[in-house]
Amino acid sequence: MKKNLFYKIFFSYLIIICTSFLLLALFMRDEIKDVLTSQIETELLSYAKLIDQTSPEKASERLSEVAQTSRSRITLINAQGRVFADSESDVSKLENHLNRPEVQEARLKGTGKAVRFSNSLGIDMLYVAVSVKSGTAITGYIRLARPLHDVQTVIEKVCQYILLTLFVVALISLLIALFFSYRLYEPIKAMERFTERLREGKAAGTIILDTADETKTLADNINYLVGELRDKINIANEEKSKLMTAFTSMNEGVLMINAQGVIEFVSPVLSNMLSVRYEDVCGKTIMEAFRSIDLQKAFLEFKSRSENVNREIVLGGTEPVILSVSISGVHGYPEEEKTMIVFHDVTRLKKLEQIRADFVANVTHEIKTPLTAIIGYLETIKNGAINNVEETKKFVDIILKQAERLNRLVEDLLIISNIEMKETKLNFNDVSLSAVITNVIALVEAKAKSKNIAIHNNISEKFAPVKADRDKLTQIFVNVLDNAVKFTPDGGRVTIDAREEGAFRVVSVRDTGIGVPGDEIHRLGERFYRVDRSRSRDLGGTGLGLSIVKHLMIAHGGRMHIESQYGRGTQVSLYFPITPFQTS
Amino acid sequence: MSEKKHTSKHYEMELQEIKNNLIYLGALTENAIHLAMKSLTDRDTAMANQVIANDYEIDKMDKEIEEKCIKMLALRQPTAIDLRFITTAIKITGHLERIGDMAVNIAEKVVQLNEEPKLKPYIDLPNMSSIVERMVAKSLDAMIKKDLQLAEEVRRIEQEVDDLNEQIFRELLTFMMEDSKSIHRALLIMHVSKNLERIADHAQGIADMVTYMITGENVRHLAKDEN
């Protein structure tokens, strides 16, 4: 950069200077030569006039004297061209001079001159000839010759001076070039460094220059632009962070799709919502990312109608997520139409809805079944069976049984609702698990024996007691053990174990029963939920047992966990906290 | 220059469309298997009939993809990976269409099974179906992500399905020997199991094609011989 700028300035100076001096030297040389030659010529002519022209003999006498003063060679020539006197050479050796150009000129004009290179002296000589006349007839010629030493010297001198000046001026121009290039270079370099830093995205600040020329204006403009840009970036960043905060804090996940149908943006909430099932979905089409027919159909519908589309979509295979999806266009991109999809996870909502609907359906069904029986038998009695005492007794027994069942159902419902409303007071005591379970086993033993089921109690009497309400604890185990016996086919086995696991004492009841399908395990705590409706009602029970256990465990600060293999057996684990929180 | 860019963009979009359609077809067949098996375990005849009715959609998509692929081959002369993708797509759509047909077969058997009382609680069959569904899903994932490892996994799982099929066969055999009335139902269930096993074979076929698409190496009959 510096080199370039410097050379540009320096060489342009140099070329201008050199050309001007060369031209000057060329013109001066000729001019000086002309002036000096004509000066010498005049001088020589006046010397010639000094020589006595009347008699050649007299002239010859003073010839050497004049020659010395005039620092020239003087030759006297007669009309025929023969030299008869010469200040330097021997006359006899000289040839006829009539053909010399200066003599010829003198013959015609009176005076003549010529410049010739003298072989004998090796220098340019100036010859001046004057014709000597007597009357009109030419009687002879006087020729003076002087070497042009002086002219040569002067010209050389002038050339030397010119060269010297040239050198000095070139030197000065070099300095000037250095100075200017430096003056230009510094601000340009500063701006270059500045823009370079900007390009790399570093904080650049502002350029400060101490110049006052155009570079200053340029720097000011750059500073202004950078400031503008920084403001714009700040505004954009602020907008972006606002948007991201909104995207992060709201429950809905947001997805942006460009005109090519490729996903461009996924909000953090959505990637959280889907991270379990889907990997990075950016850069894929929605079909690639979700492989959902419903979503694709909704998207295509939006594309064809350009109207907002709202849809409920199920994503994921084994553990489906129900999403309320709304698709809308994003405006403000003139180049291409983008699409925004907002996902709202409604799985929980749907589940609650389902539970509520199921509950209402179940509770009516559960109440209606015994009621239908009661009403039916009562009608039969009323319509005449009352007279048949034997029959009536049988019917009344059935009616009583159904009424008891109804009563049990209502009681169970009350228990759950009381626990849920936190109206049940729990009396926390240290309760020995082994004692409680021994009692409970005694209650279910008869039933187990009839089905030939062995119950193994592996809890040692020394196992640490748990903080619990004794009656409720009994209720919990009655329900769990009763279930285990109920759903285990003849000849099966029920095993009870206890262990400590972290902050919990865990009792697990394992049976070799019919098990529960994997996708239904999480519904087991629901009220009235039955895996196989027809069968479990045959086995008696209200469908509320596990629900009561679940709620009682929660009231104890613990939890219930069920693992099951369909067709192989079920294990119910009850987690009692070692240090329970006190429920008010 | 701009003309060329436009063409290649168009080309890119056509490829993407074939890919999207293929995934769509995959999702349809996945859905069909899932519903067919759900109709079996839930004894839901309506659902089974729906699977049978929806098969036309799979057939339609199959034809559409094939036409698009042929058009692409004829008009664009794709090379290297694109060529392999398109030839692979033609074969994969064939596999998927067959899988759809098998889901229909299962659904037809379900309709018949539901007319009779339940033979036994289904334990191994849902197990097998979940493995097969996973295989199909994985083979499709392998295709979408161009993931060799997933394709390899599909080939590995295939053996499990074969074993389960054997096990179900033996179990049903005991049922049939015990009670001749159960033979009809047992045979139907066996059909279901057989169809699931064949779906698994097709899933492996897809995985093999995916491997070919990625590496250009034909592993089809190699893998079969090893098994």
Side-chain angles (χ1 to χ4, degrees):
Chain A
M1 177 73 197
K2 183 172 186 179
K3 218 174 175 180
N4 268 336
L5 202 60
F6 165 73
Y7 278 122
K8 270 177 199 156
I9 294 173
F10 177 60
F11 277 113
S12 37
Y13 275 133
L14 206 63
I15 288 166
I16 292 167
I17 292 163
C18 285
T19 353
S20 51
F21 274 92
L22 273 175
L23 284 173
L24 187 68
L26 218 64
F27 293 136
M28 285 275 276
R29 203 180 130 95
D30 285 355
E31 194 59 32
I32 289 169
K33 204 171 177 178
D34 283 355
V35 169
L36 283 180
T37 316
S38 63
Q39 205 177 342
I40 293 167
E41 187 190 321
T42 331
E43 193 190 328
L44 287 180
L45 278 176
S46 33
Y47 278 120
K49 295 235 168 75
L50 284 179
I51 298 167
D52 193 349
Q53 296 176 0
T54 46
S55 65
E57 292 77 22
K58 272 185 190 167
S60 318
E61 280 166 21
R62 291 192 59 202
L63 201 61
S64 53
E65 197 184 329
V66 177
Q68 227 154 48
T69 8
S70 67
R71 289 183 291 127
S72 60
R73 171 187 169 199
I74 300 171
T75 318
L76 298 179
I77 307 161
N78 72 5
Q80 284 73 44
R82 199 181 58 82
V83 179
F84 63 89
D86 193 287
S87 60
E88 280 170 26
S89 304
D90 189 359
V91 177
S92 57
K93 283 175 188 166
L94 291 170
E95 64 218 45
N96 193 311
H97 274 36
L98 193 66
N99 290 333
R100 300 288 159 93
E102 65 276 8
V103 178
Q104 282 298 321
E105 206 182 330
R107 194 170 66 88
L108 297 170
K109 292 182 187 163
T111 57
K113 67 161 183 168
V115 178
R116 269 205 311 281
F117 188 76
S118 156
N119 282 327
S120 46
L121 292 171
I123 195 166
D124 275 349
M125 296 283 286
L126 175 66
Y127 296 95
V128 178
V130 181
S131 57
V132 182
K133 291 176 180 165
S134 86
T136 53
I138 293 168
T139 54
Y141 307 94
I142 301 167
R143 191 186 75 168
L144 282 90
R146 190 193 273 181
L148 287 173
H149 277 303
D150 298 347
V151 179
Q152 204 69 30
T153 327
V154 169
I155 286 170
E156 270 168 20
K157 208 70 186 207
V158 166
C159 279
Q160 268 173 26
Y161 280 130
I162 286 175
L163 270 178
L164 188 70
T165 325
L166 189 65
F167 181 69
V168 172
V169 172
L171 208 68
I172 292 168
S173 82
L174 175 76
L175 289 176
I176 293 173
L178 263 176
F179 174 73
F180 273 117
S181 66
Y182 181 77
R183 285 279 301 202
L184 259 179
Y185 166 78
E186 266 311 296
I188 288 175
K189 188 72 195 170
M191 282 185 273
E192 188 196 311
R193 273 198 303 265
F194 180 77
T195 44
E196 196 76 24
R197 270 209 308 277
L198 270 185
R199 211 181 62 186
E200 285 164 10
K202 292 177 190 159
T206 46
I207 322 174
I208 297 159
L209 291 181
D210 49 1
T211 54
D213 52 10
E214 287 88 343
T215 53
K216 174 81 175 159
T217 327
L218 186 60
D220 285 347
N221 284 347
I222 291 178
N223 280 337
Y224 176 74
L225 285 178
V226 169
E228 282 287 285
L229 199 66
R230 202 165 8 213
D231 288 349
K232 290 257 160 63
I233 290 171
N234 281 343
I235 291 169
N237 277 342
E238 202 182 308
E239 288 299 314
K240 196 181 165 193
S241 70
K242 271 187 208 164
L243 216 56
M244 279 313 279
T245 319
F247 280 149
T248 323
S249 55
M250 66 188 201
N251 283 327
E252 285 84 358
V254 179
L255 191 107
M256 201 88 87
I257 297 169
N258 70 10
Q260 279 78 46
V262 175
I263 298 170
E264 269 189 344
F265 168 81
V266 180
S267 80
V269 179
L270 184 64
S271 42
N272 267 343
M273 209 186 275
L274 303 171
S275 62
V276 193
R277 261 170 295 275
Y278 305 97
E279 286 149 41
D280 196 10
V281 295
C282 269
K284 293 179 181 167
T285 62
I286 50 170
M287 203 59 216
E288 283 175 302
F290 301 110
R291 209 194 307 149
S292 159
I293 298 165
D294 296 338
L295 188 59
Q296 178 76 359
K297 275 184 179 160
F299 181 62
L300 290 179
E301 191 184 320
F302 167 77
K303 281 270 160 188
S304 63
R305 291 197 317 177
S306 302
E307 254 174 53
N308 289 8
V309 173
N310 291 301
R311 206 45 67 76
E312 225 160 65
I313 280 164
V314 182
L315 283 184
T318 47
E319 226 176 289
V321 188
I322 305 164
L323 298 168
S324 159
V325 174
S326 79
I327 306 177
S328 52
V330 180
H331 305 289
Y333 295 90
E335 296 278 306
E336 51 177 355
E337 184 72 17
K338 297 194 182 205
T339 314
M340 188 163 84
I341 306 185
V342 180
F343 293 83
H344 189 197
D345 191 343
V346 290
T347 316
R348 225 180 111 73
L349 216 66
K350 284 275 145 191
K351 218 161 130 188
L352 287 175
E353 233 170 67
Q354 179 71 36
I355 290 171
R356 203 178 52 88
D358 281 359
F359 176 72
V360 174
N362 281 327
V363 89
T364 33
H365 181 79
E366 295 290 338
I367 292 171
K368 205 168 161 32
T369 316
L371 273 181
T372 316
I374 291 170
I375 291 167
Y377 284 111
L378 282 176
E379 271 175 357
T380 321
I381 293 168
K382 190 186 162 198
N383 292 344
I386 195 156
N387 298 324
N388 187 337
V389 180
E390 280 303 306
E391 284 286 294
T392 310
K393 252 189 188 163
K394 221 163 88 191
F395 290 166
V396 169
D397 276 347
I398 295 170
I399 290 168
L400 185 65
K401 217 172 135 194
Q402 293 298 335
E404 273 169 357
R405 180 170 165 192
L406 209 56
N407 190 37
R408 222 168 39 237
L409 187 75
V410 174
E411 263 175 10
D412 280 356
L413 271 176
L414 269 176
I415 293 171
I416 297 179
S417 116
N418 277 343
I419 303 167
E420 268 190 336
M421 308 280 276
K422 307 219 159 129
E423 276 173 13
T424 310
K425 293 270 180 289
L426 297 178
N427 301 313
F428 282 100
N429 283 311
D430 284 335
V431 185
S432 157
L433 280 171
S434 120
V436 170
I437 283 169
T438 314
N439 286 341
V440 173
I441 288 174
L443 289 176
V444 296
E445 211 157 25
K447 205 173 186 177
K449 274 219 173 92
S450 71
K451 290 179 81 178
N452 200 16
I453 294 170
I455 301 178
H456 298 280
N457 181 5
N458 294 338
I459 303 179
S460 114
E461 277 175 35
K462 287 173 210 137
F463 191 77
V466 293
K467 284 259 184 217
D469 182 310
R470 183 180 292 273
D471 293 342
K472 300 290 182 275
L473 197 62
T474 310
Q475 200 172 5
I476 289 171
F477 285 117
V478 167
N479 276 317
V480 173
L481 278 175
D482 188 51
N483 267 348
V485 172
K486 210 186 290 173
F487 294 106
T488 302
D490 290 2
R493 197 171 63 248
V494 176
T495 318
I496 306 155
D497 286 299
R499 63 180 191 280
E500 280 194 22
E501 193 182 301
F504 294 96
R505 300 217 162 88
V506 186
V507 181
S508 54
V509 178
R510 201 168 63 242
D511 63 45
T512 56
I514 55 171
V516 182
D519 52 344
E520 299 193 41
I521 287 178
H522 67 278
R523 297 199 64 182
L524 282 180
E526 284 174 27
R527 269 163 277 194
F528 296 118
Y529 187 80
R530 296 174 199 272
V531 176
D532 188 338
R533 281 157 193 268
S534 52
R535 176 139 55 165
S536 53
R537 201 172 289 120
D538 294 344
L539 296 170
T542 55
L544 290 168
L546 276 179
S547 188
I548 292 172
V549 173
K550 182 178 135 187
H551 283 97
L552 280 176
M553 285 311 295
I554 292 168
H556 276 89
R559 64 194 159 87
M560 173 181 78
H561 178 74
I562 299 175
E563 283 168 56
S564 182
Q565 221 185 344
Y566 191 40
R568 308 257 192 279
T570 309
Q571 171 168 325
V572 181
S573 303
L574 302 165
Y575 288 73
F576 294 93
I578 291 170
T579 49
F581 61 85
Q582 294 293 320
T583 44
S584 53
Chain B
M1 184 63 204
S2 69
E3 180 62 31
K4 194 181 171 190
K5 198 178 167 192
H6 174 76
T7 322
S8 89
K9 199 175 172 185
H10 222 81
Y11 174 72
E12 201 64 41
M13 272 170 75
E14 279 174 36
L15 268 180
Q16 185 64 52
E17 204 184 320
I18 291 178
K19 198 171 176 190
N20 275 350
N21 284 348
L22 206 55
I23 300 164
Y24 190 86
L25 177 62
L28 283 175
T29 51
E30 258 185 319
N31 211 17
I33 305 169
H34 186 74
L35 289 182
M37 288 313 291
K38 201 170 158 58
S39 73
L40 175 74
T41 46
D42 291 2
R43 294 178 70 79
D44 189 338
T45 309
M47 199 185 271
N49 282 325
Q50 195 196 325
V51 172
I52 298 166
N54 282 352
D55 190 51
Y56 85 95
E57 214 178 336
I58 294 180
D59 292 346
K60 201 180 93 188
M61 193 42 100
D62 170 45
K63 258 190 243 162
E64 204 177 309
I65 294 173
E66 213 170 281
E67 267 164 33
K68 270 182 190 159
C69 285
I70 290 168
K71 208 167 141 192
M72 191 93 177
L73 283 175
L75 297 179
R76 302 268 186 208
Q77 283 96 40
T79 51
I81 181 122
D82 291 344
L83 178 64
R84 288 208 298 273
F85 170 72
I86 288 170
T87 47
T88 309
I90 293 175
K91 295 208 80 166
I92 287 180
T93 152
H95 280 299
L96 286 173
E97 195 271 332
R98 289 297 303 144
I99 292 178
D101 288 348
M102 275 155 201
V104 169
N105 285 350
I106 292 175
E108 281 166 1
K109 301 292 175 279
V110 168
V111 173
Q112 291 185 46
L113 271 169
N114 283 354
E115 285 166 6
E116 294 184 50
K118 206 169 178 178
L119 178 64
K120 65 172 200 92
Y122 301 118
I123 297 157
D124 286 327
L125 218 48
N127 228 344
M128 186 170 168
S129 120
S130 81
I131 294 174
V132 168
E133 279 174 47
R134 213 170 63 226
M135 270 179 83
V136 175
K138 275 199 172 148
S139 64
L140 289 173
D141 278 342
M143 179 190 75
I144 297 164
K145 292 177 194 155
K146 296 200 168 75
D147 189 334
L148 269 179
Q149 241 172 341
L150 274 175
E152 190 54 50
E153 240 172 84
V154 172
R155 270 193 288 282
R156 235 188 359 254
I157 301 173
E158 214 266 337
Q159 191 56 46
E160 277 179 51
V161 177
D162 285 351
D163 294 345
L164 268 173
N165 188 36
E166 279 293 307
Q167 192 179 321
I168 289 171
F169 175 76
R170 279 196 305 271
E171 198 184 346
L172 289 170
L173 211 58
T174 58
F175 270 95
M176 287 191 275
M177 285 193 289
E178 268 172 27
D179 180 8
S180 61
K181 272 187 230 139
S182 70
I183 290 179
H184 182 234
R185 281 169 289 169
L187 281 177
L188 288 174
I189 293 172
M190 218 176 265
H191 257 114
V192 172
S193 163
K194 183 69 202 161
N195 272 306
L196 277 178
E197 195 264 334
R198 282 169 67 191
I199 291 175
D201 284 346
H202 281 290
Q204 192 195 344
I206 294 173
D208 289 344
M209 288 321 295
V210 170
T211 309
Y212 170 71
M213 177 177 82
I214 303 166
T215 61
E217 188 189 340
N218 204 334
V219 291
R220 269 191 296 163
H221 301 294
L222 279 178
K224 274 258 164 65
D225 292 342
E226 272 167 15
N227 282 342

